[in-house]
Amino acid sequence: LKQPRSRGAFVFAMSLARCATVLILALVAAQKERPDRETQKQYSECLLSGGTRESCRTILGGGQQSETGEGPPPQPEDEVLERLEAERGTPSALAEQLKSCDYGEEGDTDAEKKEAFKECKDKALESLERLRGDEVKPEELERELEKAAEESARGIVKRCLDAATTDSEKEACFNSEEAKNEMAAISGRDPSEFKADDMREAMREGAASGALAES
């Protein structure tokens, strides 16, 4: 096999491999009742924060994690289902972690802000490795951050589209400054780098992943 000739090719190959893994897990778990997206997010947040699969498992069963050990009874282990829900909930959970991260103070130089974001990314990397129980390459982290930014922006654009009543209002949703700022905060890029086509692509990917989740 030929080795990837560029970083872009490597990231693309890794993305394909991870998509294939998620697809296989989805097909295996297709007959099981699906937790909703908020439950998936809460489960991933629990794992990202250092919770064990045993302690976080109650979330998938409709309960909340209990630090005292009291609460819902333990849920039966289902490794395939748990891996699938963790993968699905990771983008939203990472987005929340990055949005709540300290990116420095007003008046900081660009270099200081860049360093602050790097520290946030390092924490996100540690969280992702904790969730997966394995090393995560920088290229994989970049893809996960991209997915997190897209998912966060998708929610804003969708709410805008639901409220829009004219074609011009709907078109304006794809140029939402709020959505662009959200993607910038999560990805570390400048809001001006995001265009309407990026928002449309995020919506298309969301529709595709939603169809897979319901299969």
Side-chain angles (χ1 to χ4, degrees), residues 64-120:
Q64 296 294 322
Q65 181 189 24
S66 174
E67 296 180 357
T68 63
E70 300 176 355
Q75 300 298 311
E77 181 177 358
D78 188 331
E79 183 177 355
V80 171
L81 176 63
E82 290 172 9
R83 285 183 60 193
L84 176 62
E85 304 312 341
E87 286 289 341
R88 286 175 170 167
T90 295
S92 294
L94 274 180
E96 289 301 318
Q97 178 176 333
L98 285 161
K99 284 190 292 185
S100 63
C101 192
D102 182 7
Y103 291 120
E105 301 177 355
E106 185 176 354
D108 283 353
T109 65
D110 289 343
E112 290 171 331
K113 291 178 180 178
K114 185 176 181 180
E115 181 60 28
F117 183 73
K118 181 181 181 301
E119 292 178 5
C120 291

Side-chain angles (χ1 to χ4, degrees), residues 18 87 91 143-152 154:
R18 185 155 298 282
E87 286 289 341
R143 176 54 188 160
E144 288 299 330
L145 295 185
E146 181 181 336
K147 287 164 58 178
E150 290 174 349
E151 182 149 326
S152 190
R154 251 194 316 270

Side-chain angles (χ1 to χ4, degrees), residues 37 88 204-215:
R37 297 307 291 267
R88 286 175 170 167
R204 282 193 292 268
E205 290 191 9
S209 62
L212 177 60
E214 294 173 0
S215 62

